[in-house]
Amino acid sequence: DREILRMTIPLAQIATGVDAGAKYRFPFQIQLPPDLPGSMFCSENHRGGKSGGYCEIEYKIKAELKGSGRIFNYKVERVIDVVSAPLPPQPVPHLIPPVKQKVNFFGCFDVGTITMGARVENTRVGKGETASIDFACKNQSRRGIDRVEATITEEVEWSAGGQNNRMKRKLASRTFRPDERWVKLSKEEMRSLKSSSKCPTSTFRNEEQSILEEIHRAIHDGENRVAL
């Protein structure tokens, strides 16, 4: 346990005693530190119980009625949910520029390349909010693309008493829509591409640059976007 805040708040002066069965209300408010993490619970068994390793952030508010008992004062405590401070409104996008990746068959046979890029509209995502991701690629290989999936994964690590625990789970996933750029090359197209790449001309280099520009435009135009 760690005490975050202790305040002495004079709510009232009761000089004549409290009538039996009477109820009194004393409204008050406190200012929590702005950097507090929100309430949370995480268990390595994914079932929400406290068997096995688990970590928890729990906040309690405690009240003590001074002078209420002959030996001990009357005390009460209650668990409260604390929500983290709202994220700043300014979006923080992230761009993965188009890059070319080699495609190997059985790990050793070169069967072409795939050029791909992606963009996340805003990497600041809170509870109940949506993350929008754009993706585009150009398949210049003999292998087909089965599917492309965007996934948001939660990973939590904690340690206590020299023991380390880790929990990982998938929060959301969406599959991108296939388009004409995903289609694999024919044998003739592949043979022609390999021949051009051996002695690259200005035309070949312009075509390669054009592919990069095409992918860059696609991930900014939102033509293949998923929301998670």
Side-chain angles (χ1 to χ4, degrees):
D1 291 353
R2 179 168 67 98
E3 187 175 282
I4 299 215
L5 190 64
R6 177 182 287 270
M7 298 179 65
T8 300
I9 306 176
L11 298 180
Q13 294 291 335
I14 306 177
T16 58
V18 178
D19 295 333
K23 294 183 179 180
Y24 296 83
R25 294 178 183 272
F26 305 108
F28 68 95
Q29 64 181 11
I30 57 176
Q31 182 72 39
L32 296 176
D35 57 346
L36 284 183
S39 302
M40 61 85 68
F41 176 86
C42 180
S43 173
E44 65 179 0
N45 60 20
H46 300 278
R47 293 190 296 271
K50 293 187 177 181
S51 61
Y54 73 93
C55 66
E56 182 177 26
I57 298 178
E58 183 179 75
Y59 295 93
K60 296 180 181 179
I61 186 167
K62 300 180 181 181
E64 180 178 352
L65 191 58
K66 296 292 187 179
S68 57
R70 294 184 178 180
I71 301 177
F72 302 105
N73 293 322
Y74 294 119
K75 300 178 182 180
V76 66
E77 68 177 45
R78 183 181 295 264
V79 175
I80 61 172
D81 288 328
V82 172
V83 180
S84 59
L87 295 172
Q90 296 82 8
V92 181
H94 181 69
L95 174 68
I96 302 175
V99 292
K100 180 178 290 189
Q101 300 286 340
K102 288 186 176 182
V103 180
N104 295 322
F105 185 57
F106 287 125
C108 55
F109 298 104
D110 182 10
V111 292
T113 62
I114 293 179
T115 304
M116 66 186 80
R119 187 178 74 96
V120 182
E121 189 175 51
N122 187 9
T123 55
R124 285 176 173 167
V125 183
K127 290 183 178 180
E129 296 180 341
T130 300
S132 296
I133 303 175
D134 295 281
F135 173 82
C137 74
K138 175 65 175 178
N139 189 1
Q140 292 180 293
S141 76
R142 286 286 296 145
R143 303 294 296 173
I145 299 175
D146 295 330
R147 64 175 183 155
V148 177
E149 184 179 79
T151 302
I152 295 180
T153 304
E154 178 188 54
E155 294 188 25
V156 183
E157 297 184 16
W158 65 95
S159 60
Q163 300 294 321
N164 298 317
N165 291 82
R166 182 178 182 181
M167 188 279 293
K168 181 177 180 179
R169 62 171 177 164
K170 181 190 292 186
L171 298 181
S173 64
R174 294 290 185 274
T175 302
F176 290 97
R177 171 183 48 82
D179 59 35
E180 65 277 0
R181 287 189 293 264
W182 292 26
V183 179
K184 66 180 180 181
L185 298 181
S186 64
K187 290 183 179 180
E188 291 74 17
E189 290 172 327
M190 191 74 245
R191 190 178 299 111
S192 174
L193 181 63
K194 285 187 175 182
S195 176
S196 299
S197 63
K198 290 179 180 179
C199 299
T201 62
S202 59
T203 301
F204 176 80
R205 286 189 290 268
N206 290 337
E207 290 177 352
E208 291 291 289
Q209 182 62 31
S210 176
I211 290 174
L212 295 176
E213 294 174 355
E214 180 183 1
I215 298 300
H216 193 273
R217 284 194 304 269
I219 59 180
H220 281 82
D221 291 345
E223 65 179 56
N224 201 351
R225 174 177 296 177
V226 296
L228 293 88

